[in-house]
Amino acid sequence: MDQIEQAVIYALGPQVDPNVKAQANAYCEQVKNAAEGWQVCLQLFMKQPKAVAEARFFALQVLENTLQNRYETLDSNAVEYIRQTMMEYLRREFVENTDSASEENFIRNKAAQSLTLLFAHVYPDVWPSFFKDIMALVQTPSGSSHEKAADFFLRLCLSIDEEVARLDIPRNREEVVRNTAIKDNMRLGDIQILASFWFELLQEFRTQNPNISQLALKNIGAYVSWMDISLVVNDQVMNALYELLGDANLRIAASECLADVVSKGMQPLDKLRMIQMLSLTDTMGRLDRSDPEFVEQLARLTNVLGIELCKIYLDGSVQADGKAAAYALIEQAIPFLLEFLGDEYDDTSTAVFAFVNDMLTIFKKQKRAMQAFSQSQIEFLGRLLEVIIRKMKYDDETEWGNEEDEPEEEALFAELRKNLKIFADHIATINEELYINYVHSVVMDTLQKYKAGTNLDWRTVELCLYVLYTYGEALPKGAMQFVNPNDASVLTPLGEMVSEVVNSNISAYPHPSAALQFFENIARYYQFFDHRPDHLPQVLSAFVDTRGLHHPLKQIRSRCYYLFQRFIKSLKTQMNQYVDTILNSMGDLLTVQAELPVECNTADGMPIPAASLFDSQLYLFETVGMLISLEGMDVMNQTEYLKIVLEPLVEGIRKDMERGYNPDDELYLIQLHHYITAIGSVAKGFPPVPKETGCTQPWAVVFKQATEIILNVLQAYNQFETIRDAARFSFARFINCLGSEALPYLPAFINGLLTECQVPELVDFLPFIGMISYKFKPMIHSILDELLLPLVKRVFDFLNTSPSGTDEALLFIDLRKAYLNFILSCFNADLHGVLVSERNIGHLSTILQTILHFAKNNEDPSTQKMAFAVFMKMVQAWGSGEGIATFNQFVYNELIPATFAVPMHASFNVADGQSILVFGEMTSIQRTLYSKQGAEFLEYMNNVFLPSMQCPPKMAQEYCQALQQYDNRGFKNFFQSFIAEAKNNNQS
């Protein structure tokens, strides 16, 4: 025993030599697994004087492990020894021990756990008097109770409930059967004795030791879910519980116990009668509700009561009179629901969310059934909406935008608001008119007070603007009207609110939340300005001054950059007269200044680059592009504006290029990246040019000059991914606004990217080339002819290497798909001639072999399907057997055999959804070859290929007949049977 104690001390000691610690751990593990280890440990646990607490805890762990995992190895003598020893422990520690010092909590809890495991094995067959024996230890000869023993007994009962009754703990079938038998036996008599004893302990220790009374209440609440309800719901117990609701020490525990009683599973009408008898709302009305902690618990009780009543009301088996009685009780609970929902403490508010949700479910169901709402129901909805909107307001103690100091509080409030908004949206669905009228009154009242000079708290202003913003999400799109459909001079409630938001000048309110929420509303309700363009000057002025784009706070500025871009984009047709003013106001914001990237973490802790101010600034450059390129603008003015915007960026690139790259200057490449991306963003704002024509506008030359200098940067620094990314971004935008005028730059651009690009870039880049090819066919033919081999070679360079890990393996799969899609895009654009041009025909065989390699890979059916789809396109284009010898030879030597070998392979599962698509492509190839080559193909299949694979003549003949007689679907079904038969023949 002493050796075990010493080993535990060494194993847990922080200063112990690691080698000694390892030996001690190994010894402890040996004791734990030894057949008689539990016996030695039980002696260690009981020895006097007591061993150190850690050793005694370890001893109980060993006993627990034996009872849990090796009980069947114990004979009846061993079980009896454990029973007697544990009873001796209880007697010695909790009855005879008069020392005021109690057993350590962790040992007391572990002892209760061990005794619980013993109980699960021996009750009722071996130890039927389990509860009576332990209760006897609790009681003194005089009829009172030993305090320590009472405390342990109640903890033991809770542990037993957790072991045999808790529904939230997963259990295997044997445990479920065992636990059901235990509970059935307890219900025969012991549960009644226990319930009576808990009540006695509750009363005995109410003033003497309220902690013990709390444990008694916890037991009543825990066991009520599976014992006879009459053991709790009777005059004696309920009177005591109601009385305890006024006891400062026990009212929370009493309230929790009542919630457990109310939530007990029962038949609907039995539950209804019980709730009627409990009269909880009458009792709650008489309680002192000044203590926030107790109020929160009463909110939980109200929530449980409401949920249960709503459940009864919605139960299809309950008749009309039962529903009426349930709803009458719901109406009695509604004042408490509204009181707690509107409580200043958010935990109290959220405690009744489930009740609110169930109430709204009842109302939505009633509306779907087209049943009229009573006056009291409409009044409740109105009061509920009022409380919800009031609760959406920031607390008096909360400071807006305080994420850095209190990120958790800000996140919790955002979550609270989100849930409250869902409730408000439901109310809007149930009664649109009520919702519109109330929101209109809240918004208009606040704005008019501000307009009149009333000193408003920022929280009131922010709430007003937030509620207006959520209005647009609560109602269907059809309700988003700003003027009366029959009279455009009359504004709707939404139109009035947006008009007042603009006219009240609320955007000038001296708090950042007001400006931000103002612009969020303006961007959301931009269509209002189609009806009232006279409001535009005020809004544009607010956007470009210190309320918006020039706001002193970075977070407001950056958000406004995006909102302004959205607003201008949505109202482009009305912006011509304001271009000059806007561009002049924005000039100082178009200076590009590189900053070192800052990292932040995703929700799962992965580091990613944080969004920079420049990322938002790109929206401004795009907005500038949109404004310059507005239809109806003078083209010479457009050219001048574009020069004014782009020349500082181009000049910045020139100066940096002249200065040259210094590896110690971390900002050098970032600055170049920003210049290039800013130029691309301006181009992004320009409208796309029709694909048939190039851009003939005078301003095109400005973009061409920018393109040339960007290509110079790419040529000089294409080894840096940040430069390649910027060049790719910008060139994609030049293609859009310059059209075919940008094509001459394409070879230099692609070559600049290809030599250094990595797999992810190539995966993004190949679809871009495919898109350009389709857009500019056929004029791009000569360029694509020149670029095909470098592109394909770069793909092969990567695919011929082995992936370094899972992530790279997944990237290679994406690259294979991008490559195949690129080949497909050549066919879709009628540019497949580049594959067999004089320049490229010598490499066709290599390309065909790579595609064949993907086609034969049954482990990746999605790529396999694409590979066969490419072959299908080739067969359609070249399958008539004339002209392209390399392909004709490939068809007969490789492709036809593959369409048989792939489905014949054991790993090909035709029942798989992806594989059946692959199968369809293969049968289509065979059918198309027949349609292209006719008798020649049939003769080859019948006389050469099928005999070469030992196909019986009859099967070969049936195959050829099927090709001639069936359509695609019929042939696919035939070929499926053909392959199945061929597999069987091979196996036999």
Side-chain angles (χ1 to χ4, degrees):
M1 284 192 296
D2 293 342
Q3 195 174 357
I4 296 173
E5 183 174 3
Q6 201 63 44
V8 172
I9 292 169
Y10 283 145
L12 298 175
Q15 307 299 326
V16 177
D17 178 88
N19 291 326
V20 175
K21 187 185 279 276
Q23 290 174 9
N25 276 315
Y27 179 73
C28 289
E29 198 61 28
Q30 186 182 336
V31 170
K32 188 176 176 183
N33 295 321
E36 302 300 322
W38 66 269
Q39 200 164 351
V40 182
C41 284
L42 199 52
Q43 292 167 8
L44 169 64
F45 178 68
M46 292 295 292
K47 84 165 190 171
Q48 291 282 29
K50 288 180 181 179
V52 296
E54 292 78 6
R56 298 179 71 226
F57 185 81
F58 170 74
L60 286 174
Q61 279 185 312
V62 174
L63 176 63
E64 183 182 331
N65 179 59
T66 303
L67 292 171
Q68 200 157 28
N69 303 314
R70 298 206 307 271
Y71 181 80
E72 66 281 355
T73 65
L74 302 175
D75 60 21
S76 59
N77 292 331
V79 172
E80 179 59 20
Y81 173 66
I82 295 171
R83 186 189 76 81
Q84 288 181 2
T85 305
M86 292 306 291
M87 286 298 288
E88 176 58 30
Y89 163 71
L90 298 182
R91 188 178 297 106
R92 190 180 78 189
E93 191 60 44
F94 300 114
V95 178
E96 297 169 357
N97 181 9
T98 55
D99 185 359
S100 58
S102 295
E103 180 78 286
E104 286 89 344
N105 281 343
F106 65 92
I107 291 182
R108 182 181 59 191
N109 292 337
K110 183 58 74 174
Q113 205 170 346
S114 298
L115 203 48
T116 297
L117 291 172
L118 179 63
F119 164 84
H121 289 295
V122 299
Y123 180 88
D125 298 334
V126 178
W127 193 359
S129 58
F130 178 89
F131 291 108
K132 296 186 182 75
D133 290 350
I134 297 176
M135 285 164 60
L137 291 177
V138 176
Q139 294 166 319
T140 65
S142 62
S144 61
S145 304
H146 293 289
E147 196 169 301
K148 290 180 183 178
D151 180 272
F152 181 85
F153 171 72
L154 291 168
R155 292 178 191 278
L156 174 63
C157 289
L158 289 173
S159 178
I160 288 171
D161 174 74
E162 187 173 320
E163 178 66 25
V164 303
R166 280 271 294 274
L167 297 176
D168 56 345
I169 298 174
R171 308 181 195 281
N172 59 40
R173 180 170 174 73
E174 291 75 16
E175 288 172 331
V176 171
V177 171
R178 178 202 72 181
N179 292 347
T180 303
I182 288 173
K183 287 187 288 185
D184 287 345
N185 274 287
M186 287 180 68
R187 290 189 188 104
L188 294 176
D190 279 343
I191 201 73
Q192 292 86 339
I193 297 168
L194 285 170
S196 175
F197 192 51
W198 292 330
F199 183 72
E200 289 171 17
L201 294 175
L202 168 66
Q203 297 290 61
E204 180 180 353
F205 289 99
R206 273 176 63 173
T207 53
Q208 184 182 335
N209 188 339
N211 289 333
I212 292 177
S213 290
Q214 285 179 12
L215 285 172
L217 288 167
K218 277 189 178 178
N219 273 283
I220 294 170
Y223 280 77
V224 74
S225 66
W226 57 276
M227 68 183 188
D228 188 340
I229 191 67
S230 65
L231 296 174
V232 177
V233 180
N234 55 58
D235 290 345
Q236 185 185 36
V237 176
M238 297 315 298
N239 288 339
L241 286 177
Y242 287 152
E243 193 179 325
L244 292 174
L245 289 173
D247 185 323
N249 292 318
L250 293 170
R251 58 189 178 186
I252 289 176
S255 180
E256 287 175 343
C257 184
L258 282 168
D260 289 328
V261 170
V262 173
S263 60
K264 176 180 171 62
M266 297 169 69
Q267 289 297 315
L269 293 180
D270 292 339
K271 173 68 69 73
L272 181 62
R273 282 189 286 273
M274 183 186 79
I275 291 175
Q276 287 171 325
M277 187 186 75
L278 292 176
S279 301
L280 284 172
T281 51
D282 290 345
T283 304
M284 285 196 294
R286 295 191 294 270
L287 296 174
D288 174 11
R289 301 196 292 277
S290 59
D291 173 39
E293 197 176 345
F294 179 48
V295 169
E296 182 186 333
Q297 191 51 53
L298 286 179
R300 296 183 191 284
L301 176 57
T302 302
N303 189 58
V304 168
L305 176 65
I307 290 170
E308 294 299 324
L309 288 169
C310 290
K311 201 184 295 179
I312 296 167
Y313 182 82
L314 291 168
D315 193 310
S317 66
V318 176
Q319 299 302 308
D321 56 342
K323 288 182 184 292
Y327 199 82
L329 290 169
I330 288 172
E331 289 193 316
Q332 291 175 20
I334 279 174
F336 296 99
L337 169 66
L338 295 171
E339 176 188 332
F340 297 138
L341 181 64
D343 193 87
E344 63 174 309
Y345 291 98
D346 293 345
D347 287 343
T348 301
S349 294
T350 55
V352 293
F353 273 10
F355 185 11
V356 175
N357 190 63
D358 286 356
M359 284 297 298
L360 293 173
T361 299
I362 288 173
F363 278 59
K364 283 188 288 184
K365 192 171 181 181
Q366 188 172 331
K367 182 173 183 180
R368 281 197 299 272
M370 292 187 289
Q371 296 169 354
F373 292 104
S374 68
Q375 187 58 36
S376 66
Q377 286 180 316
I378 294 170
E379 286 173 8
F380 165 67
L381 276 178
R383 287 158 60 205
L384 179 62
L385 182 60
E386 181 185 344
V387 172
I388 286 168
I389 288 179
R390 191 172 69 239
K391 190 63 191 173
M392 286 177 172
K393 188 176 176 181
Y394 274 92
D395 291 337
D396 291 342
E397 299 81 29
T398 308
E399 284 304 320
W400 180 86
N402 208 23
E403 295 99 329
E404 290 182 12
D405 295 337
E406 298 289 348
E408 190 179 343
E409 278 190 26
E410 188 74 22
L412 287 172
F413 180 67
E415 183 66 21
L416 175 73
R417 251 193 179 178
K418 185 179 84 173
N419 289 317
L420 291 167
K421 180 192 166 302
I422 290 169
F423 293 149
D425 291 352
H426 287 328
I427 293 173
T429 304
I430 293 162
N431 192 326
E432 189 175 299
E433 183 184 0
L434 180 147
Y435 177 85
I436 290 172
N437 290 340
Y438 186 73
V439 170
H440 182 265
S441 70
V442 168
V443 172
M444 296 298 282
D445 181 58
T446 305
L447 294 174
Q448 284 162 7
K449 281 180 180 174
Y450 175 74
K451 207 168 161 186
T454 307
N455 188 19
L456 296 175
D457 181 72
W458 72 262
R459 297 167 184 84
T460 303
V461 174
E462 193 276 342
L463 177 67
C464 159
L465 294 171
Y466 173 75
V467 169
L468 173 57
Y469 183 78
T470 59
Y471 183 101
E473 295 170 351
L475 297 174
K477 286 186 179 177
M480 291 296 103
Q481 295 184 343
F482 300 91
V483 295
N484 189 311
N486 302 317
D487 185 354
S489 66
V490 178
L491 292 171
T492 63
L494 176 57
E496 288 179 5
M497 290 188 286
V498 177
S499 177
E500 194 66 14
V501 159
V502 176
N503 291 328
S504 67
N505 203 30
I506 196 78
S507 59
Y509 184 87
H511 190 275
S513 66
L516 181 59
Q517 201 64 64
F518 169 81
F519 292 118
E520 294 283 0
N521 277 301
I522 293 303
R524 167 160 283 181
Y525 301 120
Y526 69 89
Q527 289 162 311
F528 167 81
F529 300 94
D530 288 328
H531 304 283
R532 295 292 185 271
D534 56 305
H535 286 58
L536 271 173
Q538 289 167 272
V539 170
L540 291 172
S541 175
F543 254 125
V544 300
D545 66 19
T546 54
R547 288 169 283 181
L549 304 184
H550 288 86
H551 198 284
L553 281 181
K554 176 182 171 183
Q555 70 199 86
I556 307 293
R557 279 200 313 277
S558 60
R559 180 64 179 169
C560 283
Y561 293 168
Y562 164 69
L563 294 173
F564 188 54
Q565 181 263 354
R566 258 180 60 193
F567 186 72
I568 297 296
K569 189 174 184 179
S570 303
L571 295 167
K572 278 198 294 189
T573 55
Q574 299 194 45
M575 288 297 143
N576 288 58
Q577 61 183 306
Y578 305 110
V579 170
D580 216 34
T581 309
I582 294 172
L583 292 180
N584 286 333
S585 303
M586 291 172 64
D588 60 315
L589 299 173
L590 302 178
T591 303
V592 173
Q593 188 61 52
E595 296 175 351
L596 288 175
V598 178
E599 280 198 345
C600 66
N601 289 335
T602 61
D604 55 2
M606 292 294 290
I608 56 167
S612 66
L613 183 63
F614 176 72
D615 294 327
S616 301
Q617 202 178 1
L618 290 176
Y619 290 114
L620 288 186
F621 285 105
E622 185 183 345
T623 305
V624 166
M626 283 192 287
L627 290 168
I628 292 172
S629 61
L630 286 175
E631 194 175 341
M633 288 274 291
D634 180 79
V635 292
M636 298 316 295
N637 284 347
Q638 287 179 321
T639 306
E640 285 306 308
Y641 281 136
L642 189 57
K643 282 181 180 176
I644 291 168
V645 174
L646 291 195
E647 278 179 358
L649 303 171
V650 171
E651 189 58 29
I653 293 175
R654 281 202 186 99
K655 285 182 179 176
D656 279 359
M657 293 291 285
E658 287 170 7
R659 185 159 55 92
Y661 174 58
N662 176 3
D664 295 331
D665 184 357
E666 295 180 86
L667 292 175
Y668 181 82
L669 294 172
I670 298 174
Q671 187 72 45
L672 280 174
H673 167 277
H674 286 6
Y675 283 140
I676 295 169
T677 313
I679 293 169
S681 292
V682 175
K684 186 181 178 184
F686 277 66
V689 174
K691 64 179 181 179
E692 300 82 15
T693 62
C695 180
T696 56
Q697 299 290 351
W699 47 258
V701 69
V702 184
F703 277 131
K704 287 182 183 178
Q705 290 166 355
T707 305
E708 288 166 6
I709 196 164
I710 289 170
L711 285 174
N712 290 340
V713 178
L714 180 63
Q715 191 173 4
Y717 299 120
N718 67 342
Q719 69 270 38
F720 298 108
E721 186 179 350
T722 185
I723 299 300
R724 297 195 302 271
D725 283 347
R728 216 166 77 236
F729 172 85
S730 294
F731 197 82
R733 276 74 197 170
F734 295 150
I735 284 283
N736 201 46
C737 69
L738 294 176
S740 58
E741 293 292 308
L743 292 183
Y745 302 105
L746 190 60
F749 167 67
I750 290 178
N751 287 326
L753 288 176
L754 279 181
T755 53
E756 297 289 342
C757 75
Q758 299 304 304
V759 176
E761 297 170 79
L762 199 51
V763 168
D764 289 338
F765 188 52
L766 284 168
F768 171 66
I769 299 299
M771 181 269 293
I772 292 176
S773 301
Y774 190 84
K775 184 172 182 177
F776 295 107
K777 63 178 181 177
M779 65 184 78
I780 200 174
H781 187 283
S782 60
I783 295 172
L784 190 61
D785 187 44
E786 179 187 339
L787 293 173
L788 180 70
L789 284 182
L791 272 171
V792 171
K793 182 180 181 304
R794 192 62 177 152
V795 172
F796 292 171
D797 286 344
F798 286 117
L799 293 182
N800 288 335
T801 61
S802 298
S804 59
T806 306
D807 289 346
E808 193 168 53
L810 292 172
L811 274 176
F812 279 13
I813 291 173
D814 290 341
L815 181 58
R816 286 196 285 272
K817 290 178 180 177
Y819 166 64
L820 292 170
N821 263 326
F822 169 69
I823 302 292
L824 277 172
S825 71
C826 292
F827 281 90
N828 292 335
D830 291 326
L831 294 168
H832 48 275
V834 299
L835 292 163
V836 293
S837 67
E838 187 179 347
R839 187 196 305 262
N840 300 323
I841 186 68
H843 299 273
L844 178 61
S845 179
T846 305
I847 292 172
L848 292 171
Q849 288 299 328
T850 59
I851 300 170
L852 184 67
H853 176 73
F854 304 147
K856 288 181 174 179
N857 182 9
N858 287 340
E859 292 179 6
D860 184 6
S862 60
T863 306
Q864 188 178 35
K865 192 259 181 197
M866 290 174 68
F868 277 114
V870 171
F871 284 140
M872 181 64 187
K873 290 286 186 183
M874 290 178 171
V875 168
Q876 287 171 333
W878 306 325
S880 56
E882 300 168 4
I884 304 167
T886 304
F887 183 69
N888 294 339
Q889 192 176 357
F890 174 80
V891 165
Y892 284 99
N893 293 346
E894 304 283 3
L895 182 55
I896 293 172
T899 62
F900 283 79
V902 166
M904 287 282 289
H905 197 277
S907 63
F908 188 85
N909 177 16
V910 79
D912 174 68
Q914 286 281 357
S915 295
I916 197 69
L917 296 176
V918 176
F919 194 80
E921 293 288 350
M922 291 186 289
T923 56
S924 295
I925 287 170
Q926 295 171 36
R927 283 267 307 150
T928 305
L929 281 168
Y930 165 65
S931 70
K932 293 275 185 182
Q933 299 181 8
E936 181 187 341
F937 181 70
L938 288 175
E939 186 178 340
Y940 173 78
M941 296 302 289
N942 195 32
N943 299 332
V944 180
F945 177 70
L946 291 173
S948 73
M949 55 178 285
Q950 283 77 50
C951 176
K954 186 183 176 190
M955 277 183 71
Q957 199 170 6
E958 287 172 353
Y959 171 84
C960 293
Q961 287 171 352
L963 267 178
Q964 298 170 75
Q965 294 172 3
Y966 292 136
D967 60 8
N968 283 342
R969 186 172 183 179
F971 181 71
K972 182 179 172 183
N973 292 334
F974 164 80
F975 193 58
Q976 202 165 338
S977 304
F978 180 92
I979 291 296
E981 189 175 345
K983 279 184 175 180
N984 288 335
N985 290 342
N986 282 356
Q987 287 169 1
S988 59

